[in-house]
mmCIF file of all heavy atoms in Angstrom:
data_model
loop_
_atom_site.group_PDB
_atom_site.id
_atom_site.type_symbol
_atom_site.label_atom_id
_atom_site.label_comp_id
_atom_site.label_asym_id
_atom_site.label_seq_id
_atom_site.Cartn_x
_atom_site.Cartn_y
_atom_site.Cartn_z
ATOM 1 N N ARG A 259 -11.886 19.711 -7.881
ATOM 2 C CA ARG A 259 -11.493 18.391 -8.373
ATOM 3 C C ARG A 259 -10.818 18.545 -9.732
ATOM 4 O O ARG A 259 -11.373 19.095 -10.656
ATOM 5 C CB ARG A 259 -12.728 17.498 -8.511
ATOM 6 C CG ARG A 259 -12.381 16.061 -8.900
ATOM 7 C CD ARG A 259 -13.619 15.205 -9.116
ATOM 8 N NE ARG A 259 -14.364 15.628 -10.295
ATOM 9 C CZ ARG A 259 -15.578 16.148 -10.270
ATOM 10 N NH1 ARG A 259 -16.200 16.347 -9.120
ATOM 11 N NH2 ARG A 259 -16.188 16.509 -11.378
ATOM 12 N N HIS A 260 -9.582 18.031 -9.829
ATOM 13 C CA HIS A 260 -8.797 18.186 -11.054
ATOM 14 C C HIS A 260 -8.723 16.886 -11.834
ATOM 15 O O HIS A 260 -8.800 15.794 -11.264
ATOM 16 C CB HIS A 260 -7.366 18.635 -10.709
ATOM 17 C CG HIS A 260 -7.299 19.986 -10.066
ATOM 18 N ND1 HIS A 260 -7.624 21.146 -10.723
ATOM 19 C CD2 HIS A 260 -6.951 20.350 -8.803
ATOM 20 C CE1 HIS A 260 -7.473 22.188 -9.904
ATOM 21 N NE2 HIS A 260 -7.068 21.729 -8.736
ATOM 22 N N ASN A 261 -8.552 17.030 -13.140
ATOM 23 C CA ASN A 261 -8.262 15.846 -13.950
ATOM 24 C C ASN A 261 -6.812 15.446 -13.732
ATOM 25 O O ASN A 261 -6.039 16.151 -13.062
ATOM 26 C CB ASN A 261 -8.563 16.101 -15.429
ATOM 27 C CG ASN A 261 -7.768 17.281 -16.001
ATOM 28 O OD1 ASN A 261 -6.671 17.589 -15.531
ATOM 29 N ND2 ASN A 261 -8.314 17.938 -17.009
ATOM 30 N N LEU A 262 -6.430 14.318 -14.295
ATOM 31 C CA LEU A 262 -5.093 13.773 -14.030
ATOM 32 C C LEU A 262 -4.000 14.734 -14.476
ATOM 33 O O LEU A 262 -2.981 14.894 -13.795
ATOM 34 C CB LEU A 262 -4.941 12.425 -14.740
ATOM 35 C CG LEU A 262 -3.674 11.642 -14.408
ATOM 36 C CD1 LEU A 262 -3.659 11.252 -12.940
ATOM 37 C CD2 LEU A 262 -3.581 10.399 -15.283
ATOM 38 N N ARG A 263 -4.206 15.362 -15.601
ATOM 39 C CA ARG A 263 -3.194 16.296 -16.116
ATOM 40 C C ARG A 263 -2.921 17.414 -15.125
ATOM 41 O O ARG A 263 -1.768 17.760 -14.852
ATOM 42 C CB ARG A 263 -3.661 16.875 -17.451
ATOM 43 C CG ARG A 263 -2.716 17.908 -18.041
ATOM 44 C CD ARG A 263 -3.280 18.483 -19.329
ATOM 45 N NE ARG A 263 -2.429 19.523 -19.874
ATOM 46 C CZ ARG A 263 -2.715 20.248 -20.944
ATOM 47 N NH1 ARG A 263 -3.861 20.022 -21.602
ATOM 48 N NH2 ARG A 263 -1.894 21.176 -21.370
ATOM 49 N N ASN A 264 -3.979 17.991 -14.562
ATOM 50 C CA ASN A 264 -3.792 19.095 -13.629
ATOM 51 C C ASN A 264 -3.306 18.626 -12.257
ATOM 52 O O ASN A 264 -2.632 19.371 -11.546
ATOM 53 C CB ASN A 264 -5.092 19.877 -13.478
ATOM 54 C CG ASN A 264 -5.344 20.803 -14.655
ATOM 55 O OD1 ASN A 264 -4.422 21.191 -15.353
ATOM 56 N ND2 ASN A 264 -6.607 21.140 -14.880
ATOM 57 N N VAL A 265 -3.644 17.397 -11.880
ATOM 58 C CA VAL A 265 -3.078 16.846 -10.646
ATOM 59 C C VAL A 265 -1.556 16.809 -10.750
ATOM 60 O O VAL A 265 -0.837 17.200 -9.821
ATOM 61 C CB VAL A 265 -3.637 15.431 -10.367
ATOM 62 C CG1 VAL A 265 -2.836 14.743 -9.263
ATOM 63 C CG2 VAL A 265 -5.109 15.515 -9.960
ATOM 64 N N ILE A 266 -1.063 16.346 -11.900
ATOM 65 C CA ILE A 266 0.392 16.313 -12.115
ATOM 66 C C ILE A 266 0.957 17.728 -12.178
ATOM 67 O O ILE A 266 2.013 18.025 -11.608
ATOM 68 C CB ILE A 266 0.720 15.539 -13.399
ATOM 69 C CG1 ILE A 266 0.260 14.081 -13.271
ATOM 70 C CG2 ILE A 266 2.215 15.598 -13.709
ATOM 71 C CD1 ILE A 266 0.387 13.290 -14.552
ATOM 72 N N ARG A 267 0.243 18.600 -12.855
ATOM 73 C CA ARG A 267 0.714 19.986 -13.024
ATOM 74 C C ARG A 267 0.831 20.717 -11.695
ATOM 75 O O ARG A 267 1.834 21.383 -11.421
ATOM 76 C CB ARG A 267 -0.260 20.729 -13.939
ATOM 77 C CG ARG A 267 0.031 22.219 -14.102
ATOM 78 C CD ARG A 267 -1.081 22.885 -14.886
ATOM 79 N NE ARG A 267 -0.876 24.320 -14.972
ATOM 80 C CZ ARG A 267 -1.782 25.179 -15.459
ATOM 81 N NH1 ARG A 267 -2.956 24.698 -15.891
ATOM 82 N NH2 ARG A 267 -1.526 26.467 -15.496
ATOM 83 N N TYR A 268 -0.172 20.593 -10.846
ATOM 84 C CA TYR A 268 -0.197 21.356 -9.601
ATOM 85 C C TYR A 268 0.536 20.678 -8.449
ATOM 86 O O TYR A 268 1.077 21.352 -7.562
ATOM 87 C CB TYR A 268 -1.650 21.603 -9.179
ATOM 88 C CG TYR A 268 -2.420 22.493 -10.109
ATOM 89 C CD1 TYR A 268 -3.722 22.170 -10.474
ATOM 90 C CD2 TYR A 268 -1.855 23.656 -10.638
ATOM 91 C CE1 TYR A 268 -4.450 22.986 -11.329
ATOM 92 C CE2 TYR A 268 -2.567 24.473 -11.500
ATOM 93 C CZ TYR A 268 -3.872 24.137 -11.844
ATOM 94 O OH TYR A 268 -4.585 24.940 -12.699
ATOM 95 N N TYR A 269 0.544 19.346 -8.449
ATOM 96 C CA TYR A 269 1.046 18.631 -7.281
ATOM 97 C C TYR A 269 2.260 17.766 -7.572
ATOM 98 O O TYR A 269 2.540 16.812 -6.825
ATOM 99 C CB TYR A 269 -0.084 17.777 -6.677
ATOM 100 C CG TYR A 269 -1.327 18.562 -6.390
ATOM 101 C CD1 TYR A 269 -2.563 18.159 -6.902
ATOM 102 C CD2 TYR A 269 -1.275 19.726 -5.628
ATOM 103 C CE1 TYR A 269 -3.715 18.894 -6.656
ATOM 104 C CE2 TYR A 269 -2.427 20.463 -5.373
ATOM 105 C CZ TYR A 269 -3.637 20.046 -5.893
ATOM 106 O OH TYR A 269 -4.769 20.779 -5.643
ATOM 107 N N TRP A 270 3.021 18.099 -8.601
ATOM 108 C CA TRP A 270 4.178 17.264 -8.946
ATOM 109 C C TRP A 270 5.228 17.204 -7.828
ATOM 110 O O TRP A 270 5.873 16.159 -7.663
ATOM 111 C CB TRP A 270 4.807 17.730 -10.265
ATOM 112 C CG TRP A 270 5.427 19.094 -10.228
ATOM 113 C CD1 TRP A 270 4.859 20.275 -10.586
ATOM 114 C CD2 TRP A 270 6.762 19.416 -9.792
ATOM 115 N NE1 TRP A 270 5.735 21.317 -10.403
ATOM 116 C CE2 TRP A 270 6.911 20.818 -9.919
ATOM 117 C CE3 TRP A 270 7.827 18.649 -9.307
ATOM 118 C CZ2 TRP A 270 8.093 21.466 -9.579
ATOM 119 C CZ3 TRP A 270 9.016 19.303 -8.972
ATOM 120 C CH2 TRP A 270 9.134 20.693 -9.108
#
Side-chain angles (χ1 to χ4, degrees):
R259 185 183 68 246
H260 296 293
N261 58 28
L262 188 64
R263 177 183 177 184
N264 282 337
V265 168
I266 297 173
R267 175 187 176 189
Y268 294 136
Y269 307 126
W270 66 265

